[in-house]
């Protein structure tokens, strides 16, 4: 008898679990009863037994028995999502059909069609996730379509991933990164879209922790350090209010939780601000216990504004007008007596659950007796979005679609209803180039949601876009500022270069005519020297300026003639030095130092724990430095490109070309010098550049490759490209830069 037959002939009701597992089952049923109004204990017990029997002998990477995983997933389903017994059974059996001998038929026989359908849906969904060839948007659509049949499938899938993320530690690093980046790219945004806010936050934090343990620990430690002062602040603000609330018979809780770790990190990166500034942005939440009502929220609001001055523009009433995803709360920002601003959110306990758990809370607070109603409504909502992507048809749904978006992408539709993914901030021009480069080149105007709209208008998710094209190419260099996508930018740049070339050719023609008429003979090489004397970056640029009418060809002729006559340049100028190179006209200059300071000592790459002589190089996108968490990608030529783990491209590559990932480590000391970029911001004062150069030159063995500074209304912003030994070295230099008088900010920059 094979294993399948053995398993399927089990009499699950009579099957006796070993003592340990029996007591686990009892414990499990207790949790079910605690969280569920109705629970088919017998069905759950049968599912539990089959889960144990079918996974018997299997272990997880941690060495723990495998069956514990589905049990933990089921517990998330019960405790964190408040789902029903059918979902619990499906969660217990979610890996059986894919990984064991158990068949779908058998599950249908023993547990009914609902459980079987859920498991079937889960098996299908995992196919969608595994199929990495498809574009992300398509995957997303497929997923939505699959889940729309039964939302519970998605919730179980998320719980499965959440547990896998919680227990990711024992896996090899490469696998951890693959799972974490997929979670970040796919699961977290989807969880957010489905209103599973708490789950989204945890998924993000766990992924971040796996991808960048150092960064995670840094913020976690800072949060711990700040806990006391945060609590003291809340107490100070809330003390007078608390008393009044208690006197008026209110039952409530105060929460002042800071944002989750990854969102703090993201904000620090995006706004380039230190932890302290981001961290301060937390809201105080007043949550009224049952059976307080929305009217009570308004009373609390009036207590608060009696005591503190509210900022009227910051007031939001999401109670009377809930967000489309069901979020309800009153938001007000008040000024405390110490002059600090703080946001206060007031809501009932039910509203708070919706805010934290979104959809899952709707589930819990089922209205009336028909528990399926909310699921139905949600499924209806998704279908509506899919069937009617045009805002005029279903404004509310599409609005919600937007509210729920937090990714860097927007989803827009062609006139035929096809979905296109574009980066946030894209315009109809991006859309046009996305459709076809010819459509982009000939774009004249666009219609957004049926209305004429400028080509440079920013698009929103859910917009339906139509591009009106002319017969001829209409592309203009100005468009470069109106597009976001790489595709559009590349095409426009190509166009600009082509145009420049034509103008430069025209300039050369003008010059050659002039020269030949005057019988002046000069080689390109000599002319290049002239160009650089005249401070043109290249001969090409000189010709371009002539062609464009920005530089007089006669002027050039006179200059060249003088040079020819004397056999040298007459007006020998000072060589440009960093100190006085500041170009007064546009307030920007650039100094490029000799690159010969870059050593190329290669001591071999430590790959998968072994020193190899594989050729390798450092990725230009993220410029890794010893001390950074790094990873290698084998290129098609067989050499290895080293990226930082936190690099955006890394995330993408892990997903699309996971097979090419190799674990790499820094050799103890390579002797190489590494490129590190530092952004520096401060007051624009006399001698600042000097001070910066001094700090660099006094920092041991630091070489400056380039410095690029621009200033505007009393402030300057600069980028220094330095050559350093390792991360500590770079941090040291940054610390010294920060000490310069007038420097506001100095930080590493990719
Ligand atoms: Mn699983």
């Amino acid at each position: 008898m094979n294993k399948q037959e053995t398993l399927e002939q089990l009499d699950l009701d009579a099957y006796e679990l070993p003592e340990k597992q029996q007591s686990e089952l009892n414990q499990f049923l207790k949790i079910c009863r605690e969280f569920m109004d109705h629970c088919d204990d017998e069905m759950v017990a049968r599912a539990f037994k089959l889960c144990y029997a079918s996974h018997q002998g299997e272990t997880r990477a941690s060495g723990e028995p495998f069956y514990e995983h589905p049990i933990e997933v089921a517990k998330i389903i019960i405790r964190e999502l408040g789902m029903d017994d059918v979902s619990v059974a499906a969660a217990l059996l979610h890996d059986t059909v894919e990984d064991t001998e158990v068949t779908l038929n058998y599950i249908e026989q023993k547990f009914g069609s609902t459980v079987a359908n859920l498991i079937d849906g889960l098996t299908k969904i995992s196919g969608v996730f595994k199929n990495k060839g498809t574009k992300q948007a398509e995957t997303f659509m497929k997923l939505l379509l699959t889940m729309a049949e039964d939302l519970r499938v998605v919730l179980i899938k998320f719980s499965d991933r959440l547990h896998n993320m919680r227990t990711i530690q024992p896996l090899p690093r490469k696998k951890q990164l693959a799972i974490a980046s997929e979670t970040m790219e796919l699961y977290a945004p989807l969880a957010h879209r489905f209103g599973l806010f708490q789950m989204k936050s945890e998924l993000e934090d766990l992924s971040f922790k796996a991808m960048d343990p150092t960064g995670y620990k840094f913020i976690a430690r800072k949060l711990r350090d700040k806990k006391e002062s945060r609590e003291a602040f809340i107490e100070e603000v809330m003390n007078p209010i608390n008393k009044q609330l208690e006197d008026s018979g209110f039952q409530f809780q105060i929460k002042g939780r800071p944002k989750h770790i990854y969102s703090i990190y993201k904000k620090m990166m995006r706004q380039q601000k230190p932890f302290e500034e981001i961290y301060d942005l937390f809201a105080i939440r007043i949550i009224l216990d049952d059976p307080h009502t929305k009217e009570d929220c308004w009373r609390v609001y009036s207590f608060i504004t009696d005591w503190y001055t509210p900022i009227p523009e910051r007031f939001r009433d999401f109670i009377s007008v809930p967000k489309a995803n069901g979020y309800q709360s009153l938001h007000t920002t008040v000024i405390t007596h110490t002059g600090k601003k703080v946001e206060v959110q007031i809501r009932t306990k039910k509203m708070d659950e919706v805010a934290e758990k979104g959809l899952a809370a709707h589930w819990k607070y089922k209205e009336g007796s028909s528990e399926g109603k909310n699921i139905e409504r949600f499924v209806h909502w998704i279908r509506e979005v899919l069937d009617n992507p045009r805002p005029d048809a279903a404004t509310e749904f599409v609005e919600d679609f937007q509210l729920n978006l937090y990714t860097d992408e927007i989803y827009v539709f062609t006139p035929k209803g096809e979905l296109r993914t574009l980066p946030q901030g894209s315009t109809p021009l991006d859309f046009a180039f996305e459709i076809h480069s010819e459509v982009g080149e000939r774009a004249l105007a666009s219609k957004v949601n049926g209305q004429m709209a400028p080509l440079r208008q920013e698009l929103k998710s859910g917009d339906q876009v139509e591009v009106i094209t002319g017969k001829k190419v209409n592309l203009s260099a100005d468009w470069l500022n109106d597009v976001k996508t790489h595709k559009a930018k590349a095409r426009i740049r190509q166009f600009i270069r082509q145009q420049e070339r034509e103008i430069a050719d025209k300039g050369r023609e003008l010059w050659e005519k002039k020269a030949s008429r005057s019988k002046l003979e000069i080689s390109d090489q000599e002319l290049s020297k002239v160009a650089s004397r005249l401070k043109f970056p290249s001969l090409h640029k000189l010709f371009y300026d002539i062609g464009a009418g920005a530089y007089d060809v006669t002027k050039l002729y006179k200059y060249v003639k003088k040079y020819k006559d004397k056999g040298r340049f007459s007006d020998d100028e000072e060589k440009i030095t960093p100190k006085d190179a500041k170009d007064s006209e546009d307030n920007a200059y650039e100094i490029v130092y000799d690159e010969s300071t870059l050593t190329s000592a290669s001591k071999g790459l430590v790959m998968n724990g072994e020193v190899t002589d594989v050729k390798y190089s450092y990725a230009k996108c993220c410029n890794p430095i010893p001390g950074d968490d790094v990873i290698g990608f084998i290129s098609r030529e067989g050499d290895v490109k080293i990226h930082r783990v936190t690099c955006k491209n890394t995330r993408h590559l892990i997903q699309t070309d996971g097979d090419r990932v190799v674990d790499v480590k820094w050799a103890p000391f390579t002797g190489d010098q590494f490129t590190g970029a530092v952004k520096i911001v401060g007051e624009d004062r006399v001698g600042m550049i000097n001070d910066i150069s001094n700090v660099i030159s006094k920092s041991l063995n630091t070489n400056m490759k380039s410095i690029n500074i621009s200033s505007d209304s009393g402030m300057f912003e600069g980028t220094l490209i330095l050559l350093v030994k390792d991360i500590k070295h770079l941090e040291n230099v940054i610390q010294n830069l920060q000490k310069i008088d007038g420097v506001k900010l100095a930080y590493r920059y990719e």
Side-chain angles (χ1 to χ4, degrees):
M1 223 182 328
N2 65 29
K3 202 177 171 199
Q4 180 185 331
E5 286 163 31
T6 323
L7 269 174
E8 300 198 343
Q9 278 178 9
L10 268 186
D11 178 350
L12 289 172
D13 289 309
Y15 180 76
E16 280 190 32
L17 288 165
E19 205 176 316
K20 176 170 177 266
Q21 282 72 29
Q22 183 58 46
S23 88
E24 282 171 359
L25 171 57
N26 295 341
Q27 188 62 34
F28 187 82
L29 288 170
K30 233 172 100 185
I31 299 172
C32 287
R33 284 184 213 115
E34 188 187 334
F35 283 85
M36 271 183 247
D37 300 339
H38 314 282
C39 177
D40 183 345
D41 284 10
E42 277 167 26
M43 179 189 63
V44 170
R46 263 184 283 135
F48 191 101
K49 288 173 182 174
L50 182 58
C51 164
Y52 175 71
S54 61
H55 291 299
Q56 211 168 7
E58 293 172 39
T59 50
R60 306 191 79 205
S62 60
E64 282 158 7
F66 188 88
Y67 80 94
E68 289 178 3
H69 161 67
I71 291 173
E72 289 308 315
V73 174
K75 283 184 188 164
I76 295 173
I77 290 283
I78 305 166
R79 284 195 186 124
E80 293 171 45
L81 299 177
M83 288 168 72
D84 55 3
D85 48 6
V86 191
S87 310
V88 170
L92 286 169
L93 301 172
H94 78 268
D95 279 326
T96 53
V97 173
E98 223 185 333
D99 299 343
T100 75
E101 312 299 322
V102 175
T103 62
L104 207 55
N105 259 334
Y106 176 73
I107 289 187
E108 186 164 359
Q109 268 174 47
K110 296 287 169 186
F111 298 92
S113 58
T114 314
V115 176
N117 282 340
L118 289 175
I119 293 176
D120 188 32
L122 280 162
T123 315
K124 276 190 202 143
I125 254 190
S126 76
V128 173
F129 276 100
K130 270 179 199 157
N131 183 7
K132 292 287 166 46
T134 50
K135 275 189 230 144
Q136 201 180 316
E138 275 169 28
T139 315
F140 166 63
M141 288 295 277
K142 272 195 208 159
L143 181 74
L144 279 181
L145 285 165
T146 317
M147 54 82 33
E149 283 175 24
D150 195 328
L151 175 64
R152 289 174 286 194
V153 169
V154 174
L155 296 179
I156 297 169
K157 184 74 189 168
F158 283 142
S159 307
D160 182 24
R161 176 51 60 112
L162 182 59
H163 184 247
N164 284 334
M165 285 304 301
R166 283 178 183 170
T167 52
I168 199 171
Q169 204 55 47
L171 295 182
R173 176 106 178 107
K174 183 178 155 184
K175 229 173 168 180
Q176 283 192 33
L177 288 173
I179 295 172
S181 57
E182 187 189 59
T183 304
M184 201 67 118
E185 303 267 86
L186 226 50
Y187 285 82
L190 284 175
H192 183 88
R193 214 176 295 243
F194 292 137
L196 304 165
F197 305 115
Q198 222 170 32
M199 190 176 274
K200 172 217 150 200
S201 303
E202 192 179 347
L203 287 173
E204 280 187 342
D205 277 358
L206 291 168
S207 308
F208 178 49
K209 190 178 177 186
M211 284 155 71
D212 183 4
T214 323
Y216 179 90
K217 273 184 223 145
F218 171 80
I219 296 173
R221 195 184 54 234
K222 288 235 174 197
L223 278 178
R224 266 199 308 279
D225 294 348
K226 285 274 173 184
K227 198 166 171 252
E228 245 170 72
S229 66
R230 180 172 75 236
E231 281 166 0
F233 175 69
I234 294 172
E235 211 179 293
E236 181 198 308
V237 173
M238 286 307 297
N239 246 344
I241 312 286
N242 278 344
K243 188 160 175 342
Q244 207 171 356
L245 287 175
E246 275 160 19
D247 289 350
S248 313
F250 275 95
Q251 304 273 322
F252 62 97
Q253 288 173 56
I254 307 286
K255 282 195 208 165
R257 216 158 11 121
K259 300 186 175 307
H260 68 283
I261 289 180
Y262 182 64
S263 77
I264 292 175
Y265 170 79
K266 239 180 13 186
K267 271 215 162 136
M268 284 167 67
M269 289 299 121
R270 201 174 42 227
Q271 303 180 3
Q272 295 292 357
K273 281 185 177 159
F275 171 85
E276 280 68 20
E277 271 174 59
I278 302 296
Y279 156 82
D280 275 339
L281 303 166
F282 66 90
I284 297 180
R285 263 181 227 159
I286 303 173
I287 297 146
L288 302 181
D289 288 343
D290 294 334
H292 282 300
T293 60
K294 63 178 183 186
E295 284 76 23
D296 294 326
C297 293
W298 284 104
R299 283 179 61 206
V300 175
Y301 172 76
S302 88
F303 286 155
I304 290 169
T305 50
D306 281 349
W307 196 263
Y308 297 116
T309 313
I311 303 172
E313 304 83 65
R314 300 284 297 272
F315 173 74
R316 296 281 180 282
D317 172 12
F318 295 120
I319 288 186
S320 313
V321 189
K323 289 189 188 176
N325 60 16
Y327 178 88
Q328 286 188 297
S329 187
L330 287 182
H331 291 188
T332 179
T333 300
V334 298
I335 300 170
T336 68
H337 295 155
T338 50
K340 226 172 146 180
K341 281 182 207 160
V342 62
E343 182 175 317
V344 183
Q345 304 177 347
I346 308 155
R347 53 178 90 140
T348 63
K349 199 170 169 201
K350 183 188 161 181
M351 294 174 191
D352 190 55
E353 292 231 12
V354 174
E356 301 247 304
K357 294 185 185 167
L359 171 67
H362 284 300
W363 198 289
K364 203 172 161 191
Y365 286 92
K366 346 175 215 258
E367 288 145 29
S369 56
S370 55
E371 62 179 81
K373 215 166 198 169
N374 283 297
I375 311 164
E376 257 170 46
R377 212 162 53 201
F378 188 79
V379 170
H380 178 75
W381 174 70
I382 297 287
R383 289 238 162 88
E384 197 86 20
V385 172
L386 294 176
D387 295 346
N388 282 307
R390 295 174 193 98
D392 49 358
T395 319
E396 204 181 309
F397 296 123
V398 175
E399 258 170 26
D400 198 11
F401 215 55
Q402 289 160 20
L403 281 176
N404 278 338
L405 265 169
Y406 91 115
T407 53
D408 306 330
E409 288 179 335
I410 56 167
Y411 301 93
V412 296
F413 296 91
T414 68
K416 282 184 189 155
E418 286 165 17
L419 186 77
R420 298 283 166 147
T421 313
L422 293 171
Q424 193 131 52
S426 289
T427 61
L429 274 176
D430 286 299
F431 177 86
F433 281 102
E434 195 60 32
I435 298 292
H436 198 281
S437 55
E438 244 186 62
V439 177
E441 288 159 18
R442 297 180 180 188
L444 284 177
S446 73
K447 274 187 181 175
V448 175
N449 304 322
Q451 304 233 314
M452 290 303 290
L455 284 170
R456 63 181 61 192
Q457 173 176 307
E458 197 171 301
L459 293 172
K460 301 188 301 297
S461 259
D463 279 344
Q464 188 210 19
V465 192
E466 192 182 332
V467 179
I468 299 156
T469 53
K471 284 211 174 72
K472 283 187 291 183
V473 171
N474 186 41
L475 202 156
S476 125
D478 297 346
W479 286 4
L480 200 54
N481 298 320
D482 300 326
V483 297
K484 267 271 146 94
T485 54
H486 173 72
K487 206 168 168 186
K489 278 191 178 149
R491 178 61 194 102
I492 296 167
R493 285 210 187 97
Q494 191 195 345
F495 173 79
I496 293 172
R497 273 197 301 274
Q498 192 186 322
Q499 230 181 10
E500 277 179 352
R501 227 179 353 253
E502 278 168 24
I503 293 172
D505 285 347
K506 196 177 130 201
R508 183 187 269 276
E509 232 176 81
L510 280 172
W511 164 250
E512 278 169 1
K513 243 188 230 160
K514 176 95 192 163
S516 77
R517 235 185 282 133
S518 321
K519 305 227 161 35
L520 181 77
E521 270 189 43
I522 181 166
S523 69
D524 267 7
Q525 206 183 352
E526 282 175 289
L527 206 54
S528 286
K529 269 192 212 159
V530 174
S532 93
R533 263 307 131 141
L534 292 168
K535 290 199 189 148
F536 285 96
S538 65
L539 183 56
H540 177 80
K541 181 75 169 84
L542 173 61
F543 282 143
Y544 175 85
D545 277 6
I546 292 172
Y551 195 77
D552 191 353
V553 71
T554 317
K555 218 162 133 191
L556 175 65
Y557 171 73
K558 281 183 188 154
Y559 195 88
V560 171
K561 190 150 191 315
K562 229 152 100 192
Y563 162 69
K564 275 284 190 189
D565 290 344
K566 294 192 181 172
R568 63 178 177 88
F569 290 107
S570 53
D571 49 348
D572 254 344
E573 291 149 279
E574 284 279 301
K575 229 188 152 207
I576 297 170
T577 60
K579 231 191 279 179
D580 54 22
K582 194 161 171 171
D583 189 329
S584 55
E585 270 172 44
D586 60 6
N587 261 352
Y589 65 90
E590 183 159 20
I591 309 155
V592 177
Y593 286 88
D594 189 356
E595 299 238 1
S596 61
T597 44
L598 234 180
T599 64
S600 56
S602 143
K603 298 282 189 312
L605 182 64
V606 183
M607 205 162 87
N608 295 327
E610 277 171 55
V611 182
T612 64
D613 55 2
V614 174
K615 258 177 70 188
Y616 65 94
S617 57
Y618 302 103
K620 288 259 180 340
C621 48
C622 53
N623 288 320
I625 295 176
D628 284 333
D629 253 342
V630 287
I631 196 152
F633 286 96
I634 303 171
S635 78
R636 301 199 193 281
E637 289 76 40
D639 52 353
V640 175
K641 259 252 147 46
I642 295 166
H643 287 261
R644 286 166 72 180
V645 167
T646 48
C647 170
K648 257 202 163 158
N649 295 336
T650 301
R651 226 192 263 169
H652 182 73
L653 285 166
I654 288 175
Q655 281 200 51
T656 52
D657 297 278
D659 300 343
R660 287 162 49 201
V661 176
V662 283
D663 215 5
V664 295
K665 283 225 163 50
W666 294 103
F669 176 66
T670 56
D672 284 356
Q673 280 192 305
F674 295 87
T675 311
V678 176
K679 194 139 228 161
I680 181 163
V681 178
E683 288 161 20
D684 186 22
R685 59 165 172 78
V686 179
M688 180 59 97
I689 310 284
N690 243 334
D691 290 354
I692 294 172
S693 316
N694 267 336
V695 164
I696 306 288
S697 64
K698 277 182 193 149
S699 303
L700 206 62
N701 291 326
T702 314
N703 287 301
M704 181 144 63
K705 241 172 111 182
S706 77
I707 170 172
N708 191 324
I709 288 203
S710 65
S711 57
D712 180 30
S713 49
M715 295 293 285
F716 81 91
E717 200 187 313
T719 315
L720 316 175
I721 308 291
L722 306 173
L723 293 171
V724 292
K725 194 173 78 208
D726 57 20
I727 188 86
K728 272 205 186 119
H729 184 184
L730 183 64
E731 275 164 7
N732 216 332
V733 177
I734 290 176
Q735 262 175 26
N736 289 332
L737 286 171
Q738 275 165 340
K739 285 183 199 149
I740 297 175
D741 193 29
V743 166
K744 301 273 182 224
L745 216 57
Y747 55 88
R748 183 170 175 200
Y749 155 86
E750 273 178 22

